Amino acid sequence: MKKLMILGASVLQIPAIVEAKKMGLYVLAVDMNPNAEGFSYADKKIVVSTTDTEKVLEEAKKNKIDGIITIASDRPMTTVAKVAKKLDLIGIDEKTAINATNKSKMRDALKAYGVPIPMYFSVDNYDQYLKAVDEIIMKSYKCIIKPEDNSGSRGIRLVESTDACDLKKIFDYCKSNSNSGKLLVEEYMEGPEVSVETISKDGVCNVIQITDKITTGPPYFVELGHSQPSSLDKETIDKIKKVAIDTNRAIGIENGPSHTEIKVTKDGPKVVEVGARLGGDNITTHLVPYSTGVNMVKASIKIALGQEIDVRKSFEKASVIRYKKCDTGKILKIKGIEEAKAIQGIMDVEIVHGVGEYSHTIKNSNDRVAYVISQGNDITEAIEACKNALDKIKIEVEE
């Protein structure tokens, strides 16, 4: 029986653990949290930080693994790359892992390859930050600040005022969310946002699906919904596909998945960022199979094990996820869950924060309380199903 090590045992990694078990694999799950939910699905529980390369490598050698992966998570990517290299397994290399997780390095790699990106500056301190903001505003662009090395919409702020006090608050907030202390100051791109889900095998990048996105907008830009396939016109879709394929080549992804976020600006599609992993927010674990029939999780596992893959679409439908908006405060009651599940086309209804927990202002993806996922014959049908299901769910809070 082949052994697969999966870095991470949170809810995000459960689809990979479950899929690997279905494939008849022995699964070793690694997570620093001894109570991580994914452990109950795995064959072996390893309580180690996914970023502790030496300990992960030690466990990988001891257990004689045949492959190593992580899905929908950026932080373990460097560990995956280093372990794969040491054990002569299939995976991205360390340079690619860094290019895909460090936003400044990512921008540099894309720029060198000629991939369209926004105007940007990597900054270490407050003076550099102020200078970069001025440079971008002088070009008549809006300005957005991001931590160099975080994900899940954490630490992202739009500069809406050049008042010195406001600029300092944004700097402090974004810096507090940066692991390295470095920030990316860049042009805020205006226009529709999409993500492109791809699988590469032996250097060939296959575009599986394009996802339309809805976010909270400024100041935090947290994603509140996704729809597949994209409703953009064919000419724009073709341009987006080319940009995504060029992005994979620039970053160095030859084997494995990627999730590329792109804004369609007045100057054409430009890359927001790329992850050398599957898309989170149920995009590749749920929406892609509901809209195309392609199992990207299974394909990613097969690639890690050196096996052939088939990523041809078996059908063309639509799938949608929408997150529930509710008041802030302590959650007292949640009603209408069963009624929501009964709506035609609804595939999943999930409560992320239940009774007794708190609903906060949505500043990052962890603040979202509930969501529904639908499948339909077209986008209109799938969106309507989600809307009807969300209307059924009533969340009562105590402010």
Side-chain angles (χ1 to χ4, degrees):
M1 181 183 289
K2 287 190 179 293
K3 295 180 179 179
L4 179 71
M5 178 176 274
I6 297 178
L7 297 192
S10 69
V11 172
L12 290 175
Q13 306 294 335
I14 289 175
I17 299 171
V18 170
E19 188 62 45
K21 292 292 294 175
K22 284 182 186 175
M23 294 168 67
L25 303 174
Y26 183 89
V27 179
L28 304 93
V30 180
D31 202 295
M32 67 185 297
N33 176 10
N35 301 311
E37 293 181 53
F39 280 140
S40 62
Y41 297 86
D43 293 293
K44 186 167 185 177
K45 168 182 175 178
I46 300 174
V47 183
V48 168
S49 169
T50 59
T51 59
D52 189 333
T53 303
E54 292 307 314
K55 286 187 179 179
V56 172
L57 178 60
E58 182 184 325
E59 291 289 344
K61 287 179 177 178
K62 184 168 67 178
N63 288 281
K64 298 179 180 178
I65 66 169
D66 299 289
I68 181 169
I69 66 164
T70 186
I71 67 167
S73 184
D74 287 314
R75 294 194 69 191
M77 292 309 306
T78 302
T79 305
V80 170
K82 288 181 177 179
V83 172
K85 182 180 179 180
K86 287 281 188 181
L87 301 185
D88 197 26
L89 301 173
I90 294 174
I92 60 173
D93 61 30
E94 190 176 351
K95 182 179 179 182
T96 298
I98 292 170
N99 284 344
T101 53
N102 181 297
K103 292 181 175 64
S104 294
K105 300 286 187 185
M106 182 188 301
R107 287 278 181 261
D108 292 343
L110 295 175
K111 183 179 181 180
Y113 201 86
V115 177
I117 56 172
M119 182 180 181
Y120 72 101
F121 298 91
S122 178
V123 303
D124 293 305
N125 57 53
Y126 189 61
D127 287 340
Q128 290 177 352
Y129 159 78
L130 290 178
K131 184 178 179 182
V133 170
D134 283 343
E135 289 272 352
I136 289 172
I137 290 175
M138 281 174 61
K139 293 288 185 181
S140 298
Y141 289 125
K142 291 183 180 178
C143 186
I144 191 167
I145 319 298
K146 302 175 181 180
E148 185 181 71
D149 51 3
N150 213 327
S151 59
S153 302
R154 296 176 186 86
I156 298 176
R157 291 298 298 268
L158 179 69
V159 175
E160 297 182 281
S161 164
T162 53
D163 176 80
C165 183
D166 291 337
L167 286 175
K168 184 66 167 63
K169 285 179 181 177
I170 290 174
F171 176 82
D172 290 341
Y173 169 74
C174 296
K175 198 170 180 65
S176 70
N177 282 275
S178 174
N179 298 309
S180 66
K182 293 185 177 181
L183 300 178
L184 199 66
V185 180
E186 64 180 33
E187 160 202 345
Y188 171 57
M189 297 179 287
E190 298 187 83
E193 184 174 353
V194 300
S195 67
V196 187
E197 323 311 327
T198 73
I199 290 276
S200 293
K201 181 75 165 66
D202 299 329
V204 177
C205 180
N206 303 281
V207 175
I208 310 300
Q209 186 59 285
I210 298 175
T211 311
D212 286 339
K213 292 175 171 289
I214 299 173
T215 75
T216 57
Y220 301 108
F221 302 96
V222 183
E223 292 166 356
L224 289 180
H226 307 288
S227 306
Q228 297 180 354
S230 173
S231 296
L232 293 170
D233 62 90
K234 185 181 183 304
E235 183 181 354
T236 302
I237 291 291
D238 288 342
K239 289 178 181 177
I240 288 169
K241 287 180 179 179
K242 183 183 185 305
V243 169
I245 291 169
D246 287 346
T247 296
N248 275 259
R249 289 175 180 155
I251 296 296
I253 302 170
E254 294 191 346
N255 287 290
S258 78
H259 172 75
T260 307
E261 295 177 346
I262 292 173
K263 275 281 189 81
V264 183
T265 73
K266 60 182 176 60
D267 303 318
K270 293 184 182 181
V271 176
V272 178
E273 58 186 59
V274 58
R277 54 165 175 79
L278 295 171
D281 274 356
N282 301 282
I283 290 173
T284 43
T285 54
H286 293 70
L287 297 190
V288 169
Y290 289 155
S291 69
T292 68
V294 176
N295 188 331
M296 291 184 71
V297 176
K298 186 175 183 177
S300 298
I301 293 170
K302 283 190 167 187
I303 288 172
L305 295 173
Q307 299 173 0
E308 291 303 312
I309 61 170
D310 182 359
V311 289
R312 290 174 296 180
K313 295 181 183 181
S314 54
F315 53 76
E316 293 190 9
K317 293 189 177 183
S319 58
V320 171
I321 183 170
R322 290 290 185 267
Y323 289 86
K324 178 74 176 176
K325 293 181 181 178
C326 66
D327 296 331
T328 59
K330 185 176 182 179
I331 300 171
L332 302 178
K333 289 182 183 179
I334 300 177
K335 299 185 291 184
I337 296 173
E338 293 306 315
E339 291 88 340
K341 289 180 178 179
I343 299 288
Q344 186 174 354
I346 293 298
M347 309 298 283
D348 301 274
V349 176
E350 293 292 335
I351 305 300
V352 180
H353 297 295
V355 173
E357 296 183 79
Y358 286 83
S359 168
H360 300 286
T361 299
I362 299 177
K363 295 183 179 180
N364 63 63
S365 54
N366 291 328
D367 293 326
R368 299 171 303 194
V369 172
Y371 64 83
V372 298
I373 301 176
S374 67
Q375 181 189 55
N377 292 313
D378 57 42
I379 281 293
T380 302
E381 186 179 289
I383 290 174
E384 187 66 18
C386 275
K387 180 181 179 300
N388 291 339
L390 288 177
D391 286 344
K392 296 289 185 184
I393 300 172
K394 308 296 180 184
I395 301 176
E396 184 180 327
V397 303
E398 179 182 58
E399 296 184 12

